[in-house]
Amino acid sequence: MTAMNQTHAYAALAQADPALARLVERYGTPDPFEFHDGGRTTGSRFAAMSLHILGQQISTTVAFVLYDRLRAATGDTPTAKSVLALGLDSIKALGTSRSKATSPINLAEQVSTGPLDIEHLDDHSDIEAVQALVAVKGIGIWSAEMFLIHQLNRPDVFPSGDVGLRNALQRLRQLPQVPSISRAEKLGRQWRPLRTYASSLLWHSLTAAEDD
């Protein structure tokens, strides 16, 4: 989406929802598709998904440490070939659990043998792309949705399973407790077809609140 269209997207959300309008006023119009990987994945979607996998249920800082070790072990930006050559035990030795170490191997196998053409999912619908990704053992819905946002630049993704997003949603709507995944999904439907932008505002509001 162009910068002008991005501005229009946030303007549409602000017009439709006064609560989001206040967030736009405070946090502006952040790029919802920006991938904060510090240049680690060098545009490789395989490498990006490897980072998403390693980041499941842990902090971003720890995920970067594990990914940097993986990159060092493969000698460059990880590829399906280099991950398979490294092997399960070597990936586990980088400091992760055996089950998590299996996930990059599963991804590499699916990419190498052809069922998953991870570099060319642009023609897939959101549902098709998610289904193709979660078919790989070890890739969860959260990782697939992060991939849709940051690698495929899809405008209408709302990762309701993200704890931070649900915490921000609780604050936005002044709910008595953090909404469940299903409740968050329902609440997010009002922002279709711009839920990625709404998600970005919610994440920014949470980060800013932590800095206050």
Side-chain angles (χ1 to χ4, degrees):
M1 223 179 220
T2 65
M4 183 60 70
N5 283 338
Q6 181 171 303
T7 300
H8 287 167
Y10 281 114
L13 285 173
Q15 184 176 12
D17 189 329
L20 287 191
R22 290 191 290 272
L23 295 188
V24 171
E25 183 178 357
R26 182 171 183 182
Y27 308 116
T29 57
D31 182 354
F33 308 117
E34 186 175 1
F35 189 38
H36 299 282
D37 70 337
R40 287 173 167 82
T41 60
T42 63
S44 164
R45 289 179 174 177
F46 174 85
M49 179 50 80
S50 298
L51 176 55
H52 289 312
I53 289 172
L54 291 172
Q56 291 180 150
Q57 299 180 332
I58 60 175
S59 71
T60 300
T61 300
V62 176
F64 283 160
V65 169
L66 293 176
Y67 176 85
D68 289 344
R69 290 174 182 171
L70 176 64
R71 184 175 183 179
T74 57
D76 202 345
T77 301
T79 64
K81 182 178 180 180
S82 65
V83 167
L84 289 175
L86 196 59
L88 176 62
D89 289 339
S90 294
I91 294 176
K92 182 178 180 297
L94 300 179
T96 188
S97 66
R98 187 174 185 84
S99 61
K100 180 164 285 192
T102 302
S103 298
I105 296 291
N106 293 338
L107 174 63
E109 289 175 344
Q110 291 298 306
V111 170
S112 293
T113 57
L116 177 60
D117 187 359
I118 197 166
E119 304 297 332
H120 302 96
L121 292 175
D122 301 89
D123 292 335
H124 287 52
S125 68
D126 291 354
I127 293 176
E128 290 170 342
V130 168
Q131 289 176 339
L133 293 168
V134 300
V136 179
K137 187 176 180 180
I139 295 181
I141 293 292
W142 179 85
S143 292
E145 290 173 332
M146 292 301 103
F147 187 91
L148 260 64
I149 292 173
H150 298 298
Q151 278 65 59
L152 300 183
N153 294 354
R154 299 299 171 86
D156 192 35
V157 180
F158 192 76
S160 55
D162 187 275
V163 175
L165 192 67
R166 287 187 281 129
N167 284 333
L169 189 57
Q170 179 192 19
R171 179 177 288 111
L172 181 78
R173 295 302 188 214
Q174 299 182 336
L175 303 174
Q177 59 188 18
V178 177
S180 65
I181 293 175
S182 60
R183 177 61 175 160
E185 171 63 27
K186 291 178 181 177
L187 290 171
R189 290 175 188 169
Q190 64 190 296
W191 298 317
R192 292 184 296 187
L194 299 169
R195 287 178 292 178
T196 300
Y197 295 88
S199 299
S200 181
L201 285 172
L202 288 169
W203 278 318
H204 272 77
S205 72
L206 190 64
T207 302
E210 292 171 349
D211 293 338
D212 288 343

